[in-house]
Amino acid sequence: MSKISVLRIVTGVLVLLLAYGATAGVPLSWRNWSDDVFTQARKENRLVLVDLSAEWCAYCMKMDATTWQDPGVLAAIDKDYIPVKIVDEHDPELAARYRQYGRPAVVILDADGTELMRKRGYMKPQWMEWMLQAVVQERESDEL
């Protein structure tokens, strides 16, 4: 392998590390459900990502430890979403609204509160990243 090829590979790796470095190690700042979330989503042309969770849910804890820590997932959320977490034990009235979705579950809403997508169960980081990107791409194609 030539020195130029090695240099290109090293440069590519450094660019990827810098791209993900902004979110690496920074925990996701979950918001509480509020009108302010949807006002901000309208102003910033973002979607609302809702994580439905419960303290008793082992797969919810697994998502907290893996999926919600993944640099690619964090970058996708930071770019296009406002993250909201609803924990059954902390907000039982709001959790009851989404009880039939199971736990864990992810719901994506537009800024008006219209449900665009929902997914039940544990999601591996790569699948979550793909889903988040696909919903944004679908929304952008609808806007054309």
Side-chain angles (χ1 to χ4, degrees):
M1 188 179 291
S2 73
K3 288 182 181 180
I4 292 176
S5 296
V6 171
L7 183 59
R8 285 183 180 164
I9 291 170
V10 169
T11 302
V13 169
L14 288 174
V15 168
L16 288 173
L17 289 173
L18 288 173
Y20 287 117
T23 57
V26 177
L28 193 52
S29 295
W30 292 105
R31 304 268 304 268
N32 293 321
W33 182 280
S34 71
D35 291 339
D36 292 341
V37 165
F38 292 93
T39 300
Q40 180 183 352
R42 276 189 292 281
K43 284 181 185 175
E44 297 176 5
N45 193 32
R46 291 158 94 58
L47 298 171
V48 177
L49 171 70
V50 180
D51 175 36
L52 301 169
S53 185
E55 292 176 356
W56 52 262
C57 172
Y59 281 108
C60 298
M61 289 180 244
K62 185 176 180 179
M63 281 187 65
D64 285 341
T66 59
T67 306
W68 302 131
Q69 302 298 317
D70 181 80
V73 172
L74 295 175
I77 293 170
D78 186 55
K79 183 175 182 274
D80 293 301
Y81 292 88
I82 298 173
V84 172
K85 185 178 279 278
I86 298 172
V87 179
D88 290 6
E89 294 82 1
H90 300 172
D91 196 345
E93 185 176 313
L94 187 55
R97 180 187 308 180
Y98 294 103
R99 179 84 52 223
Q100 74 275 13
Y101 291 15
R103 300 295 181 267
V106 173
V107 182
I108 298 175
L109 307 169
D110 69 11
D112 295 324
T114 301
E115 186 176 306
L116 302 177
M117 172 174 249
R118 88 179 92 143
K119 173 70 174 79
R120 291 177 173 202
Y122 173 77
M123 288 188 71
K124 293 179 180 180
Q126 184 64 62
W127 297 352
M128 179 66 72
E129 183 179 352
W130 290 336
M131 182 186 76
L132 295 171
Q133 292 169 348
V135 171
V136 169
Q137 290 172 357
E138 180 72 21
R139 179 177 79 149
E140 289 172 352
S141 70
D142 288 346
E143 291 175 354
L144 298 177

